[in-house]
């Protein structure tokens, strides 16, 4: 039987970077994000006794190599839980550019965790689903619960999962994503997590994370944009400082990335509430109160180097569509 699930990507306000345990994806620090309701991954899973290997079709193209191996290794975890020998056909569609710093692995593994576990007969609660999604991609655990979510660092596999901090309608924020380059990125996040500790800045970034998490959590709970803006920009800058100083160094920014960062700082000085945050890619997420999104979107489109602008408000959690 075919099981279909949908999940949204998320944008981290306080970033996950580096693991205490790479295999289990137990993070070096907790993280906070907002689900992006306008963007989605839709995934169907069918376990089939006729198949002698997993078949993974992404955006209509049958996958081989690393992308298939990563999905198969994840399904092995679910198969082991269910004590099932069956292989599956997985079809997944993203309605946004894959692999461009708009975390497609988050929505991908959140939707896959939900569809695959249901297809093998599990009815997992939110915490268990978030833990399972985490094993596929760390940030995916934050796409299981709804709205603004926090991945609690946890002491072990059992308590490292994400919870809702606030529902989507708690605070109307919008992410205007300035797409600088929509192709595949050069270095994936998993490699970045593995080398994070080679940067001398990582230890300081991790040690200070509880303060940033607290500041960000309070800013969300009290809907205080003036408090949110500096902490999310500082957290993004710390992440990129670590990336640029790890061995090998990771440089994701392009010229357009810096143009947008400078523009956001200028607009904020002029009194427009907005703040930037950048993941493992060149695109810039400009976070703002929804009331300011339309004028920011048109200003972003005028900046040389900006290919396009995607706009999203706060989204719900992962959901099963049908069976
Ligand atoms: C910069 O969750 O993509 O987007 O667990 O190896 O799949 P894997 O890494 P991933 O890392 C996300 C890194 C980030 C920050 C964040 O989303 O917290």
């Amino acid at each position: 039987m075919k099981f279909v699930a949908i999940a949204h990507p998320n944008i981290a306000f306080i970033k996950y970077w580096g693991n205490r345990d790479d295999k289990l994806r137990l993070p070096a620090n907790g993280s906070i994000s907002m689900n992006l309701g306008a963007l989605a991954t839709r995934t169907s899973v069918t376990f089939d006794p006729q198949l002698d290997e997993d078949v993974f079709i992404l955006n209509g193209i049958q996958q081989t190599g690393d992308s298939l191996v990563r999905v198969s290794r994840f399904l092995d975890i679910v198969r082991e839980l269910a004590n099932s020998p069956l292989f599956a056909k997985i079809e997944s569609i993203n309605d946004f550019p894959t692999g461009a710093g708009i975390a497609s692995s988050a929505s991908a593994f959140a939707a896959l965790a939900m569809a695959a576990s249901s297809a093998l007969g599990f009815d997992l609660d939110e915490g268990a689903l978030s833990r399972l999604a985490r094993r596929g991609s760390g940030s995916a655990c934050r796409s299981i619960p709804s709205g603004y979510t926090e991945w609690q660092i946890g002491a072990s596999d059992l308590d490292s999962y994400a919870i809702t901090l606030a529902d989507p309608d708690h605070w109307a924020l919008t992410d205007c994503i300035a797409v600088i380059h929509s192709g595949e990125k050069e270095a994936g996040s998993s490699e970045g997590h593995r080398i994070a500790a080679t940067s001398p800045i990582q230890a300081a970034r991790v040690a200070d994370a509880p303060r940033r998490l607290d500041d960000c959590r309070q800013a969300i709970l009290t809907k205080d944009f003036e408090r949110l803006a500096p902490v999310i920009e500082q957290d993004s800058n710390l992440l990129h400082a670590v990336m640029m100083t790890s061995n090998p160094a990771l440089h994701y920014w392009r010229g357009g990335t810096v143009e947008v960062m400078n523009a956001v700082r200028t607009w904020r000085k002029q009194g427009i509430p907005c703040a930037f945050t950048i993941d493992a890619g060149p695109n810039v997420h400009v976070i703002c109160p929804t009331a300011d999104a339309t004028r920011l979107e048109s200003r972003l489109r005028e900046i040389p180097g900006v290919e396009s602008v995607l706009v999203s408000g706060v989204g719900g959690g992962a959901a099963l569509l049908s069976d």
Side-chain angles (χ1 to χ4, degrees):
M1 203 165 24
K2 189 192 251 191
F3 282 74
V4 188
I6 187 168
H8 303 292
N10 63 70
I11 177 64
F13 291 171
I14 303 297
K15 313 285 190 189
Y16 151 52
W17 200 245
N19 287 314
R20 279 138 54 215
D21 181 324
D22 277 320
K23 185 162 178 278
L24 288 174
R25 288 188 158 85
L26 296 176
N29 59 275
S31 52
I32 291 178
S33 60
M34 152 183 155
N35 284 343
L36 300 176
L39 314 178
T41 299
R42 192 190 155 100
T43 298
S44 71
V45 176
T46 314
F47 284 93
D48 182 350
Q50 311 287 336
L51 292 173
D52 50 17
E53 59 182 0
D54 293 318
V55 176
F56 174 37
I57 298 164
L58 175 60
N59 295 328
I61 299 166
Q62 183 159 349
Q63 304 290 301
T64 53
D66 291 352
S67 142
L68 172 65
V69 169
R70 189 165 177 185
V71 163
S72 268
R73 290 297 80 78
F74 178 74
L75 288 184
D76 288 344
I77 298 170
V78 191
R79 278 188 277 259
E80 201 179 307
L81 283 173
N83 203 11
S84 166
L86 298 180
F87 292 105
K89 180 176 182 192
I90 306 106
E91 282 182 277
S92 197
I93 290 181
N94 288 331
D95 64 6
F96 56 94
T98 301
I102 304 163
S104 57
S105 66
S107 49
F109 283 97
L112 183 60
M114 185 162 252
S117 60
S118 305
L120 284 181
F122 291 105
D123 181 16
L124 300 180
D125 65 23
E126 189 179 278
L129 266 176
S130 175
R131 282 176 53 215
L132 177 61
R134 190 199 79 224
R135 300 288 301 277
S137 176
S139 56
C141 77
R142 298 189 311 245
S143 283
I144 295 287
S146 176
Y148 297 90
T149 77
E150 177 164 2
W151 176 5
Q152 300 169 313
I153 177 169
S156 72
D157 171 47
L158 293 175
D159 57 355
S160 188
Y161 58 87
I163 56 162
T164 292
L165 273 184
D167 290 330
D169 59 6
H170 165 73
W171 193 15
L173 291 185
T174 290
D175 181 3
C176 300
I177 309 166
V179 178
I180 306 297
H181 182 72
S182 54
E184 290 282 331
K185 62 191 174 201
E186 281 151 36
S189 305
S190 303
E191 173 58 12
H193 294 298
R194 267 192 291 277
I195 62 169
T198 63
S199 164
I201 294 170
Q202 171 73 347
R205 192 192 74 87
V206 169
D208 180 60
R211 179 195 64 84
R212 296 192 307 282
L213 285 163
D214 193 48
D215 214 13
C216 181
R217 196 184 303 115
Q218 291 310 320
I220 291 171
L221 294 176
T222 59
K223 300 186 247 185
D224 183 346
F225 196 84
E226 280 180 27
R227 186 168 182 181
L228 185 72
V231 73
I232 72 176
E233 288 194 358
Q234 184 188 43
D235 190 85
S236 174
N237 289 336
L238 278 166
L239 169 72
H240 287 270
V242 167
M243 290 164 160
M244 288 176 195
T245 52
S246 59
N247 184 13
L250 302 174
H251 292 272
Y252 291 107
W253 297 354
R254 295 187 175 214
T257 312
V258 178
E259 294 292 333
V260 174
M261 292 164 79
N262 288 339
V264 166
R265 277 190 287 257
T266 304
W267 296 335
R268 200 163 61 245
K269 277 195 198 120
Q270 292 167 351
I272 305 176
C274 55
F276 65 77
T277 182
I278 304 163
D279 280 345
N283 304 329
V284 188
H285 295 251
V286 180
I287 310 298
C288 64
T290 299
D292 297 284
T294 308
R295 61 174 164 164
L296 281 168
E297 183 192 347
S298 49
R299 283 181 183 221
L300 285 168
R301 286 189 201 282
E302 282 164 21
I303 296 178
V306 173
E307 273 182 12
S308 60
V309 181
L310 305 173
V311 177
S312 177
V314 192
L320 206 56
L321 293 183
S322 62
D323 58 29

